């Protein structure tokens, strides 16, 4: 059984016991435990079920590499599936549940998949489940989906919060082990600003567990002394529990900091995401031990030798009483020594190497531990727990030489440098054949903005394991010319399959990817079937696609693939290393931007007033605008109709502040605007307004608005609310990329001004009441503007109309917006003033036949389609879109053109409905001859009105078109003039 | 070709699956083929398959720089739909969708087409109008879509927050027969069928030049030697401009990285595909349980198939607002694919200035769903030398004529 030892444990504090639960069972650990060490200390070896065969699974490792021991953690709004127990620090009250089983962890029906394993090899689903056709969706897929997946989906809104931060440094060191700390110290002494990120809660990495001496000190002493030195340096920032998750272009590093995982609900953000720009990155990310592939290597109790050692030394937990060690290298002997020191039994060390000499094996032998050379494991015995192993010759086919009873197995297949960060942004690897590892190729590093190497790998991440060499290397952060063997260690011997000549029956029980249930036989099947690219093998077998992303399985898998293909390992290569290094929370990725501010929220100066006066909001870009102002008990339709009728009869007030306002200024401003707009803007007299159109290079109408000439060299361009930022960007694009020598300056003043439209027959009276300016027809005729003071506030007054009524738009400084709005409300009290929203605005413009960008236009419509030829200057040599509009299809008289549409029965045409034409096209689709672009119930005319684009429309006045709608119904509408209201413009020109 | 079936799997199980043959052969290049297709992605392989199946042209090579299916076919978010607004788009995507319905049986390879239903959320008045317009258009195009209200959206997607403070869900454009498929399997299934017809799939074979004489294509130079051909089809998505340059013409294509990512696997929690174009993100759940998430394209042209960061944040924020439970899940992996964008965001299936050289590209962010239809139409174009009705509107000349097929009003930017 696994148990907590009576003494030891360098990371736990036995004076601080912590309570937690696993599947409802109350258990106990200590401060300093991980969930994994606490569970193991409580003899909980069985922790989950595998993905495909639902085999019982326990811990394999002790860190980020762990594929099996994932649990659901927490409850309700803090429940989270797939939490890796090995990297989750224990806290009091933690609630955990195991995953992927039904009904219970011990008795899982899904294990039938395991009995049928022979029928479920890699990719069996590509060859089956095809008949009958509907069965995949309705029968097979639901079964597959329920059987797959891991943890339960959370269902509630996250109760925690997250934050993001930026960092900048000369040198970012990823990893706080000996190599990382030494490199940080060396860089800091040269005066560099240094940030060190360490993913665990502890500095020093593996060294304190593995032992040895550094600069004549014990690892613990060296780490303590080095940290003391570094902490005094102002140019170094140390961050624990913060993983370097990804390296992106130009030294952009993502740091994933876990702050309050162990103190849920304490008010602090749970995670913090660092976006760090580093001039250079040192990857000191260490190495991962590889499993060995022998039959039954997934039975709970079979662990990595280094992981088992971690549990012993760091947390004083023994996974078993009798631990067999199986290895191909010297490092695993350290585990044997540690077990012996803890008073536990090591019945044998099975070493695949034919002859073993060296300090570590000698030390083991000296303690009386049996060292069997040239031996391996033929088979592990046990179901939910190891009960023993059968020993065989590594060189043979698996004949059993001896059975050894044991309750744990520690395996080591050698070490692989962690090259993820190095590789994320293009760093290349080389194959180090003697030590069977891919390590960073210093000659082909990722490069930064300056084309220089952006990263350097040090320590185990660079394949340098000897402590003395690590120190030397870190000091000059230059790769060691020749990589020395680890201190006092004999060379390892690559072992990819154990035993070498294992028959099918054994290879079907050798796991490579523990979580996804990918075995040696699966990779060999993929090779046999021609899925020979390492990417094909990965995708066909799902090797390395689990939550550990192949940390334990990749190298073993591609070695087996290479062997099956008869090619060297470097010819096979690796799959792509992609960020993040280990999964990071979506909460952290979103950061503070959630809820109402998940995107920036823009508010006009009158926003609060709208909110407290019944505004029913409509999102417009990042703004929110009142769709209408609901009065008590009123429905949306009634409210909108009231606003329209009141504006037409008395006076209405619209918050038009969202309207884009871009000032274009300079000696070449007129020339520039002549290119930008289809109209001639350079000849607009000062004080006058002109309705202008903008087209894309392809000739399509992209925006419209009133342009005002403020002074000799300044124009004010109004854009649509949604278009302001896009149009400003469009202007700058041309000025910066094409016409960079034109003397033009643009500034987007949209938010600097509040704009209010006073609309309706009483509009002039209202302005007169505000006082301070002559707004008479003579002083301020239609399509002019003036500046002055209104209601004591500096104002620009534009006499323009988007409703067909007498109308003024008044711009005041944003800070005065609310005051001006209030002044208007007061002045309008006895003039019948009511505010109106966007829907009333839309209806009134449609009644007048005014087009709306986004309704009458959709990126395929040119001004000529909309009867706006009058706004296209014939005098100009060029404007954006002119050449495009001369192309054959643009000049085609068959293009659909703008008309009005009125239903024969007065009903409202549905939005976007199409007019049917005779016959079908070459693809069998019914032909059409027009469509509805805007359609409303007109409160003014008391019937449905619509605008639409119809083939040859303007020449077909009075014709009736058929519009098929739901359920085969047809609505008939007559083509008419799009101006439904006040055709002669008598209302606005008073 | 040995047929795949549950019985074949059972028979093989008895001998530890030692008897399976290669899914596709690994031949040496021949000196000449009637047709050479550059690009062994879904579109290239489908083109080859329908050339053989519909036109009996089987002396075909499909040359591939890397491994087959390794471009956008193996990098997309596997969404299949045909709820397009414009007639030409609707026709070719619906052709593709309907071919997907029977593709597993046709290829004898389970591509796991899952018509699980697809929702495009309406979150502004403007978007609602656009989708309603699409429904009317689809009705006349023979495509089954409908506008559904918020209550029905909520019922189809219980994990959705339809009452968000910024962009409440006002309804959705629903295509019940839209869904997903296993992207790799589509490439592998076509590859196996092509190989079975005697076509040569040449992997690790990079094209280094296009040879021509008198305005007619003669062949290509590759890293595995020169290959002559009667006709040449360029079907290489993100690198189309590079190939076109070798063939001596230019394409109106910009190449950018499109970002995608997946969560860790969880038990089934969402049965449909959801696209939210106002907030800009889309999501479905893979059969393995990962939440598969698509986002935007990078704002700059490039050829690196890498994940970048900024768009990921925007996409994740949008999706957490739409699916609050997502906040407690973790991102497992992110990546990028190079998409080939045209000016109107619609594809190019066209003859080219070089005789007997044809191009199929410009599928941008939405190519996976089109694979069977694209291959079908491209095969017709290559076989006959002129486009059939499916491809007719997608010629290069449309850019000269200004005859754009712009879906932006209905498709948003995402596919």
């Amino acid at each position: 059984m696994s148990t907590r030892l009576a003494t030891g444990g360098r990371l736990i504090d036995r004076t601080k016991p912590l309570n937690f639960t696993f599947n409802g069972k109350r258990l106990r650990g200590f401060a300093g435990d991980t969930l994994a060490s606490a569970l193991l200390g409580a003899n909980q070896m069985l922790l989950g079920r595998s993905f495909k065969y639902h085999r019982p699974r326990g811990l394999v490792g002790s860190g980020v590499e762990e594929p099996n021991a994932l649990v659901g953690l927490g409850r309700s709004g803090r429940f989270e599936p797939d939490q890796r127990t090995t990297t989750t620090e224990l806290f009091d009250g933690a609630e955990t549940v195991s995953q992927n089983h039904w009904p219970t962890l011990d008795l899982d029906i899904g294990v039938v998949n395991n009995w049928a394993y022979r029928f479920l090899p890699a990719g069996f689903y590509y060859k089956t489940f095809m008949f009958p056709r509907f069965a995949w969706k309705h029968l097979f897929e639901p079964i597959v989906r329920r059987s797959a997946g891991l943890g339960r989906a959370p269902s509630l809104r996250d109760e925690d919060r997250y934050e993001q931060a930026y960092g900048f440094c000369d040198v970012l060191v990823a990893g706080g082990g000996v190599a990382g700390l030494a490199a940080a110290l060396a860089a800091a002494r040269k005066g560099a600003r240094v940030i060190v990120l360490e993913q665990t809660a502890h500095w020093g990495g593996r060294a304190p567990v593995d032992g040895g001496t550094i600069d004549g000190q014990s690892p613990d002493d060296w780490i303590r002394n080095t940290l003391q030195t570094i902490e005094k340096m102002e140019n170094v920032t140390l961050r624990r529990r913060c993983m370097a998750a990804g390296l992106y272009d130009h030294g952009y590093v993502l740091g994933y900091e876990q702050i309050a995982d162990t103190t849920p609900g304490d008010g602090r953000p749970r995670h913090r995401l660092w976006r760090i720009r580093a001039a250079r990155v040192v990857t000191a990310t260490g190495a991962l031990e590889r499993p060995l592939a022998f039959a039954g290597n997934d039975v709970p109790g079979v662990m990595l030798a280094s992981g088992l050692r971690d549990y012993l030394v760091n947390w004083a937990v023994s996974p078993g009483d009798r631990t067999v060690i199986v290895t191909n290298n010297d490092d695993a002997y350290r585990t044997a020594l540690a077990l012996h020191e803890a008073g536990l039994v090591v019945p044998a060390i099975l070493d695949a190497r034919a002859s073993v000499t060296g300090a570590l094996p000698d030390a083991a032998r000296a303690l009386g531990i049996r060292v069997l050379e040239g031996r391996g494991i033929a088979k592990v015995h046990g179901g939910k727990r190891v009960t023993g192993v059968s020993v065989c010759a590594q060189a043979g086919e698996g004949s059993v030489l001896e059975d050894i009873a044991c309750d744990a197995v520690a395996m080591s297949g050698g070490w692989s440098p962690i090259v993820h960060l190095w590789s994320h942004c293009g760093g290349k690897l080389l194959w180090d054949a003697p030590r069977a590892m891919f390590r960073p190729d210093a000659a082909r590093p990722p490069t930064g903005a300056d084309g220089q190497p952006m990263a350097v790998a040090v320590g185990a991440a660079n394949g340098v394991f000897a402590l003395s060499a690590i120190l030397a290397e870190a000091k000059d952060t230059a790769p060691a010319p020749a990589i020395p063997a680890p201190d006092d260690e004999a060379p390892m011997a690559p072992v990819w399959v154990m035993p070498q000549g294992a028959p099918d029956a054994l290879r079907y029980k050798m796991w490579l990817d523990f979580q996804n249930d990918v075995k040696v036989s699966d990779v060999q099947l993929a090779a046999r079937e021609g899925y020979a690219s390492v990417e094909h093998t990965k995708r066909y077998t799902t090797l390395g696609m689990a939550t550990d992303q192949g940390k334990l399985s990749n190298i073993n898998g591609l070695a087996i693939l290479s062997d099956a293909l008869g090619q060297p390992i470097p010819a096979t290569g690796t799959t792509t290393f992609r960020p993040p290094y280990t999964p990071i929370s979506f909460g952290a990725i979103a950061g503070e931007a959630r809820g109402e501010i998940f995107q920036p929220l823009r508010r006009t100066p009158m926003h609060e007033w709208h909110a407290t006066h019944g505004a029913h909001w409509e999102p417009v870009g990042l703004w929110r605008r009142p769709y209408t102002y609901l009065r008590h008990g009123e429905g949306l339709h009634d409210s909108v109709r009231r606003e329209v009728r009141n504006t037409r009869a008395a006076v209405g007030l619209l918050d038009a502040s969202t309207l884009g306002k871009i000032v274009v200024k300079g000696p070449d401003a007129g020339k520039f605007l002549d290119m930008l707009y289809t109209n001639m803007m350079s000849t607009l007299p000062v004080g006058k307004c002109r309705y202008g159109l903008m087209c894309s290079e392809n000739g399509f109408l992209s925006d419209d608005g009133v342009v005002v000439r403020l002074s000799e060299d300044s124009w004010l361009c109004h854009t649509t609310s949604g278009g302001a930022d896009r149009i400003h960007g469009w202007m700058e694009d041309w000025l910066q990329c094409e016409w960079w020598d034109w003397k033009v300056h643009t500034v987007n003043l949209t938010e600097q001004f509040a704009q209010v439209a006073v609309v309706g027959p009483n509009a002039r009276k209202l302005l007169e009441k505000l006082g301070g300016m002559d707004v008479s027809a003579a002083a301020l005729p239609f399509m002019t503007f003036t500046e002055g003071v209104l209601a004591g506030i500096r104002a620009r007054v534009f006499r323009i109309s988007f409703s067909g009524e007498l109308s003024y738009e008044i711009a005041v400084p944003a800070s005065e917006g609310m005051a001006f709005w209030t002044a208007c409300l007061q002045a309008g009290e006895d003039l019948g003033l009511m505010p109106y929203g966007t829907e009333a605005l839309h209806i009134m413009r449609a009644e007048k036949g005014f087009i709306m960008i986004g309704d009458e236009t959709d990126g395929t419509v040119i001004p000529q389609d909309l009867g706006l030829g009058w706004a296209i200057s014939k005098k100009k040599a060029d404007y954006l879109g002119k050449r495009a509009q001369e192309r054959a299809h643009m000049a085609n008289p068959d293009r659909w053109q703008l008309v009005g549409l009125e239903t024969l029965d007065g009903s409202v045409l549905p939005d976007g409905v199409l007019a049917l034409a005779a016959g079908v096209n070459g693809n069998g689709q019914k032909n059409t001859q027009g469509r509805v672009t805007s359609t409303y119930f007109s409160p003014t005319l008391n019937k449905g009105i619509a605008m639409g684009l119809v083939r040859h429309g303007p020449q077909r006045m009075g014709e009736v078109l058929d519009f098929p709608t739901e359920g085969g119904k047809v609505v008939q509408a007559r083509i008419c003039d799009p101006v439904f209201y006040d055709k002669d413009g008598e209302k606005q020109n008073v | 070709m040995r047929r795949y079936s549950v019985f074949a799997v059972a028979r093989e199980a008895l001998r530890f699956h030692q008897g399976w043959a290669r899914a596709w052969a690994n031949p040496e290049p021949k000196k000449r083929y009637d047709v050479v297709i550059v690009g062994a992605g879904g579109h290239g392989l489908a083109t080859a398959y329908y050339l053989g199946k519909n036109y009996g042209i089987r002396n075909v090579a499909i040359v591939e720089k890397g491994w087959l299916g390794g471009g956008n076919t193996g990098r997309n978010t596997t969404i299949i739909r045909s709820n397009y607004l414009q007639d030409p788009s609707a026709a070719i995507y619906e052709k593709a969708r309907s071919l997907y319905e029977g593709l597993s049986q046709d290829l004898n390879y389970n591509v796991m087409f899952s018509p699980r239903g697809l929702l495009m959320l309406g979150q502004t008045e403007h978007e609602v109008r656009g989708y309603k317009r699409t429904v009317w258009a689809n009705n006349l195009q023979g495509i089954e879509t409908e506008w559904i209200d918020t209550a029905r959206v909520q019922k189809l997607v219980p994990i959705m927050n339809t009452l968000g403070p910024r962009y409440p869900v006002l309804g959705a454009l629903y295509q019940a027969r839209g869904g997903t498929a296993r992207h790799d399997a589509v490439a592998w299934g076509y590859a196996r069928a092509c190989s079975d017809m005697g076509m040569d799939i040449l992997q690790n074979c990079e094209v280094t030049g296009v040879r021509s004489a008198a305005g007619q294509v003669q062949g290509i130079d590759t890293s595995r030697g020169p290959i002559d051909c009667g006709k040449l089809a360029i079907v290489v998505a993100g690198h189309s401009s590079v190939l076109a340059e070798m063939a001596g013409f230019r394409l109106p294509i910009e190449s950018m990285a499109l970002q995608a990512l997946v969560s860790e696997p969880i038990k089934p929690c969402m049965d449909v595909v959801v696209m939210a174009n106002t907030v800009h993100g889309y999501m479905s759940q893979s059969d393995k349980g990962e939440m598969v998430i698509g986002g935007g394209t990078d704002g700059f042209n490039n050829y690196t198939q890498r994940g970048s960061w900024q768009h990921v944040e925007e996409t994740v924020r949008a999706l957490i607002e739409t699916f609050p439970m997502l906040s407690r899940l973790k991102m497992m992996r992110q990546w990028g694919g190079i998409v080939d964008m045209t000016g109107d965001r619609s594809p190019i299936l066209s003859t080219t200035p070089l005789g007997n050289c044809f191009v199929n590209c410009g599928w941008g962010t939405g190519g996976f769903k089109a694979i069977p239809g694209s291959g079908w139409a491209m095969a017709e174009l290559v076989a006959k030398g002129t486009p059939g009705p499916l491809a007719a509107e997608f010629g290069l000349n449309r850019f000269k004529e200004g005859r754009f097929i712009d879906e932006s009003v209905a498709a948003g930017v995402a596919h």
Side-chain angles (χ1 to χ4, degrees), chain A residues 16 26 58 113 166 242 274 288 337 424 480 557 680 721 758 777 810 818 881 957 969 990:
Chain A
K16 290 184 186 150
R26 296 172 67 84
N113 288 358
Y166 289 94
C242 187
W274 286 91
L288 290 174
L337 301 179
H424 281 167
M680 188 78 93
S721 293
V758 180
I810 302 105
M818 193 56 228
M957 288 295 154
K969 240 175 53 188
V990 292

Side-chain angles (χ1 to χ4, degrees), chain A residues 54 77 82 162 289 320 419 446 522 526 555 681 685 720 855 884:
Chain A
H54 288 245
D82 301 346
Y162 302 82
E289 193 167 25
V419 295
D522 293 315
I555 303 295
M681 291 300 178
T720 57
D855 285 346

